[in-house]
Amino acid sequence: MKKCLYTDQIDDYILNKLEGGAKEQFEEHYFNCPSCFRQMEERDALISTIKNRGAWLFKDEAASEQRDWVPAWKRALSSFTPRQWATVGVAAAALLLVVFGVLPQFRGSSPQFVLSETEVVRGESLTLISPIIDVKSVPTFFEWKSLGQEVEYKISLYNSELLWSAVTRDSRIAVPEETRQRMLPGQRFAWQVRAFSARGTLIAVSSKVQFQVGPAE
Amino acid sequence: MEHRPPEIDLNEVVVKYRPVVSFKVKKSLGAQTPDWEDVVNEVITQVIEKVKKGEFRGESSIGTFIYTITSRRIVDHIRMKTKVLRSIPEPAPLPDPCDDAERRERARILAEAIQQLKPKFKEVLNLYYYQELTRNEVADRLGISPRRVSERLNYAQKLLRKMVKT
């Protein structure tokens, strides 16, 4: 069977790697090519499953990658001289003193987050993973640390106003293409995630993290 | 000579193009956007009205005609939404529980199938789709040729198709 010339673009389209004219050409094509559309629906299901459950699906691969790092770490340590070992020992002792001696004195109550003048949440903290620093290109995904099953997250993206908001049960979400197009280089953005229990109660809220998309070339 | 519009079976058009329009709308607005289904319905209604009025003259294919209407409707929707968001707080999303349950079940079956793949197939799926490396980068990482990466991706998908069907 003759292979359609556009088949090779399916992955790039779903992963938002097609730009401008090429993207529009491909879209017009799949409106006219049932075979490409069928393949794209199937690929989209595969990619979204991988994106949403990747951390669980590939935990073995991640662990083996980490194992590969250990010998490098051991190699670095084995090259220390006795004098360097002594410095490491002193630094470790100072660190232990700070961790067990000084920090407990400052231990406060459970974390408290102020959302607005009227809302206050006590409880778990919600950690944002990516993006948390300035980025070169418009991000494809937003990712944060999962708080477990049965938690619903609401993500909000702002520039001077609310730019995009969405709800998901996963700890990672793809940014829709139309929103990405509105995220212009050089602008600053802020994003925040709120977590809700199955009963709809607000259980955690992240800090509002700011980032800038690299300046236009 | 008078140019006659082509004969179009509207029922067939709606059945064939609703999934295509839905895919494009969801991709553009995000599947989490609560009103994506309304946008799809508006596109389909516009297509039917325009065909009935004879605005489809067969100069392009019906697919291109519907694609143009869909793209314009999406842009209009985003413009309208931006204006609304300036003054009114966003409404809470109301996903269809049945649709959501079906989608989750399909995703669960697919995820279990991926789990059962051999490590050499899982690692290409991880690097190429999850970590979004290019084919050449995946090839470098695994010490194989880019052609072999493509073969493994294709074969992994063939296996998954088989596993999900059974």
Side-chain angles (χ1 to χ4, degrees), chain A residues 3-4 7-11 39 42-43 46-47 50, chain B residues 117 120-126 128-129 135 138 144-163:
Chain A
K3 188 181 158 190
C4 178
T7 311
D8 291 339
Q9 294 186 15
I10 292 176
D11 287 340
Q39 287 182 61
E42 187 190 75
R43 198 77 52 83
L46 172 67
I47 294 175
I50 286 175
Chain B
L117 287 175
K120 69 174 182 178
F121 295 122
K122 270 176 79 178
E123 65 189 358
V124 285
L125 293 178
N126 174 20
Y128 186 69
Y129 288 128
R135 274 186 170 80
V138 177
I144 56 177
S145 67
R147 191 191 165 91
R148 183 53 68 90
V149 173
S150 301
E151 283 170 4
R152 283 194 191 172
L153 282 170
N154 290 336
Y155 196 68
Q157 285 169 51
K158 201 173 158 187
L159 287 173
L160 288 171
R161 217 171 287 134
K162 218 185 256 179
M163 289 157 86

Side-chain angles (χ1 to χ4, degrees), chain B residues 2 12 93 121 139:
Chain B
E2 195 190 341
E12 197 183 302
F121 295 122

Side-chain angles (χ1 to χ4, degrees), chain A residues 98-135:
Chain A
V98 170
V99 170
F100 294 106
V102 181
L103 285 183
Q105 317 257 340
F106 294 101
R107 188 177 294 159
S109 54
S110 59
Q112 176 175 318
F113 308 96
V114 179
L115 304 181
S116 67
E117 287 171 2
T118 52
E119 291 176 293
V120 174
V121 177
R122 288 174 195 277
E124 294 181 81
S125 63
L126 186 50
T127 309
L128 304 185
I129 295 177
S130 172
I132 51 169
I133 52 170
D134 293 353
V135 288

Side-chain angles (χ1 to χ4, degrees), chain A residues 6 9 12-13 17-29, chain B residues 67:
Chain A
Y6 283 86
Q9 294 186 15
D12 287 344
Y13 176 71
K17 290 178 181 172
L18 282 188
E19 302 282 340
K23 185 183 155 208
E24 281 167 17
Q25 243 178 10
F26 179 74
E27 286 177 335
E28 188 179 334
H29 173 74
Chain B
Y67 168 65

Side-chain angles (χ1 to χ4, degrees), chain A residues 11 13-14 16 27-28 30-32 37 40 42-43 50-51 55 57-58 61 141 165 167 169 178, chain B residues 17 19-20 23-24 27-28 32 61 63-64 67 78 90 104 111 122 128-130 132 157 161:
Chain A
D11 287 340
Y13 176 71
I14 295 173
N16 297 315
E27 286 177 335
E28 188 179 334
Y30 77 69
F31 267 71
N32 288 290
F37 179 67
M40 193 172 58
E42 187 190 75
R43 198 77 52 83
I50 286 175
K51 290 288 184 195
L57 283 169
F58 305 121
E61 279 75 8
F141 285 89
S165 177
V167 174
R169 284 184 181 270
E178 301 301 328
Chain B
Y17 283 97
V20 188
F23 190 94
K24 163 72 181 147
K27 173 97 178 133
S28 300
Q32 295 86 6
S61 67
T64 302
Y67 168 65
I78 291 167
E90 16 147 17
R104 274 161 192 260
K122 270 176 79 178
Y128 186 69
Y129 288 128
Y130 188 56
E132 292 190 23
Q157 285 169 51
R161 217 171 287 134

Side-chain angles (χ1 to χ4, degrees), chain B residues 55-111:
Chain B
E55 287 181 34
F56 174 65
R57 295 183 196 89
E59 288 152 354
S60 64
S61 67
I62 185 75
T64 302
F65 180 72
I66 297 174
Y67 168 65
T68 310
I69 293 173
T70 309
S71 302
R72 283 184 191 153
R73 186 65 201 92
I74 289 168
V75 172
D76 288 349
H77 178 81
I78 291 167
R79 280 199 193 124
M80 191 190 73
K81 200 79 186 163
T82 313
K83 277 185 200 160
V84 169
L85 279 175
R86 280 192 189 128
S87 51
I88 304 168
E90 16 147 17
L94 294 166
D96 178 351
C98 294
D99 183 50
D100 207 38
E102 261 179 48
R103 190 180 53 79
R104 274 161 192 260
E105 181 58 12
R106 279 200 302 270
R108 188 190 63 76
I109 293 168
L110 188 54

Side-chain angles (χ1 to χ4, degrees), chain A residues 19-207:
Chain A
E19 302 282 340
K23 185 183 155 208
E24 281 167 17
Q25 243 178 10
F26 179 74
E27 286 177 335
E28 188 179 334
H29 173 74
Y30 77 69
F31 267 71
N32 288 290
C33 177
S35 160
C36 276
F37 179 67
R38 216 171 24 250
Q39 287 182 61
M40 193 172 58
E41 271 188 310
E42 187 190 75
R43 198 77 52 83
D44 184 60
L46 172 67
I47 294 175
S48 54
T49 301
I50 286 175
K51 290 288 184 195
N52 289 329
R53 300 171 188 230
W56 172 72
L57 283 169
F58 305 121
K59 58 182 186 293
D60 295 342
E61 279 75 8
S64 77
E65 270 178 28
Q66 261 179 347
R67 274 197 300 276
D68 293 343
W69 279 99
V70 175
W73 174 73
K74 278 185 179 167
R75 272 199 304 277
L77 282 184
S78 65
S79 63
F80 277 20
T81 63
R83 196 177 181 148
Q84 284 170 324
W85 273 114
T87 314
V88 170
V90 171
L95 187 67
L96 286 173
L97 186 71
V98 170
V99 170
F100 294 106
V102 181
L103 285 183
Q105 317 257 340
F106 294 101
R107 188 177 294 159
S109 54
S110 59
Q112 176 175 318
F113 308 96
V114 179
L115 304 181
S116 67
E117 287 171 2
T118 52
E119 291 176 293
V120 174
V121 177
R122 288 174 195 277
E124 294 181 81
S125 63
L126 186 50
T127 309
L128 304 185
I129 295 177
S130 172
I132 51 169
I133 52 170
D134 293 353
V135 288
K136 282 185 187 162
S137 57
V138 176
T140 323
F141 285 89
F142 284 92
E143 193 170 356
W144 53 93
K145 214 170 162 186
S146 170
L147 294 181
Q149 306 259 318
E150 300 303 318
V151 178
E152 195 170 65
Y153 304 94
K154 183 175 184 182
I155 175 173
S156 305
L157 175 68
Y158 310 86
N159 46 14
S160 53
E161 61 192 44
L162 181 69
L163 191 66
W164 171 61
S165 177
V167 174
T168 178
R169 284 184 181 270
D170 297 306
S171 58
R172 182 180 164 96
I173 191 168
V175 188
E177 186 55 23
E178 301 301 328
T179 304
R180 293 185 77 231
Q181 282 172 7
R182 288 160 58 202
M183 295 175 73
L184 302 176
Q187 284 186 345
R188 286 200 75 75
F189 300 91
W191 66 293
Q192 187 175 41
V193 177
R194 296 172 190 206
F196 296 85
S197 70
R199 295 167 62 192
T201 316
L202 183 61
I203 52 171
V205 61
S206 75
S207 55

